[in-house]
Amino acid sequence: MARQSGIIKLKGTIGDITFYKSKDGYLARQKGGVDKERFHTDPKFQRTRENAAEFARAGKASKALCTAIRPVLNKTQDSRMISRLVKSMMQVIKADQVSNRGLRNVLDGELVLLQGFDFNGNARLSATVYAPYTPTIGRATGLLEVNVASFVPDSQIVAPGGTTHFRLISAGVEVDFENETFALAQSSSAEIAFDNTVSGAVSLSNDIGVVDSTKPLFLVFGIEFLQQVNGTFYALNNGAYNALSLVLVDTGV
């Protein structure tokens, strides 16, 4: 891969060189690789085929999780979130101790390795919310909750300039990775003023409506920053500073 220089930037293919634009600028790379038939049949590519199969599985599982929590994810993710999540999901798959290489999967892996994943890499929850909170998953009841103890916003919340208020948000979800279905419940606090007034305890309860689930359960918790103008609340800087983290995972195993 090479970086294009000069005044005129190219996009397209000339001979064996492909010119394209990415988030890292205008780049160029040489076409290469093997033909499809050889890739699928040549024993030399057995390890590559196994890696590709597991990578595809990680991508599918990542998409299923993101789709499940999409309502709270829209304003709390960075541009590289998907690639970071797939990388973490690959670690989950590689932790599978029962399946053969190439057949390893997330259900036989260690989904708890996702716990602590920040969907916005530019605003980690642990560096944004210092108010004490307790996440719980009640598999028998279908209730996934985050209970936040009383706190003082301006000393226990790291807010960007211009913040006048914020909301605490949460979502609980059951994900069926095999069938790519889910059950979601979400909740949020009222708008809380960003000042030195002691805030009361906040309870965020998410009832997914599934009792005694046998599927993996995920609980996310985060914060949205707001600015109040003439009585109306606006998302601050399109959510660039919002934080959302996967705070608890229950695999059901």
Side-chain angles (χ1 to χ4, degrees), residues 34-182:
V34 297
D35 63 78
K36 185 176 180 180
E37 182 178 355
R38 183 184 176 193
F39 174 79
H40 287 292
T41 59
D42 194 330
K44 292 182 179 180
F45 294 100
Q46 178 63 29
R47 296 285 84 83
T48 305
R49 289 195 293 270
E50 292 169 352
N51 291 338
E54 292 183 351
F55 184 79
R57 211 166 285 127
K60 181 179 178 181
S62 297
K63 179 182 178 182
L65 178 58
C66 288
T67 299
I69 63 170
R70 180 60 58 190
V72 293
L73 190 59
N74 284 333
K75 295 180 180 180
T76 52
Q77 68 180 73
D78 66 84
S79 60
R80 298 182 184 274
M81 184 274 292
I82 291 296
S83 61
R84 292 190 299 106
L85 182 57
V86 172
K87 182 178 180 180
S88 295
M89 201 69 79
M90 278 298 296
Q91 296 304 313
V92 171
I93 288 175
K94 289 179 179 179
D96 180 350
Q97 299 296 311
V98 298
S99 306
N100 293 330
R101 184 186 172 108
L103 297 176
R104 293 178 295 185
N105 60 87
V106 297
L107 294 180
D108 292 318
E110 296 290 343
L111 280 167
V112 292
L113 293 175
L114 295 178
Q115 197 163 291
F117 181 83
D118 285 295
F119 293 93
N120 186 352
N122 301 317
R124 294 180 295 111
L125 184 68
S126 62
T128 305
V129 177
Y130 289 93
Y133 64 89
T134 304
T136 59
I137 292 179
R139 183 172 289 276
T141 61
L143 288 176
L144 293 82
E145 300 176 295
V146 177
N147 291 298
V148 185
S150 179
F151 63 99
V152 179
D154 72 351
S155 63
Q156 292 177 284
I157 301 293
V158 179
T163 298
T164 63
H165 294 74
F166 61 90
R167 295 190 196 98
L168 298 176
I169 61 174
S170 178
V173 63
E174 174 202 64
V175 181
D176 184 337
F177 288 104
E178 295 176 307
N179 297 307
E180 297 184 74
T181 59
F182 62 89

Side-chain angles (χ1 to χ4, degrees), residues 187-200:
S187 58
S188 68
S189 70
E191 291 78 14
I192 301 173
F194 181 66
D195 56 24
N196 61 0
T197 303
V198 177
S199 172

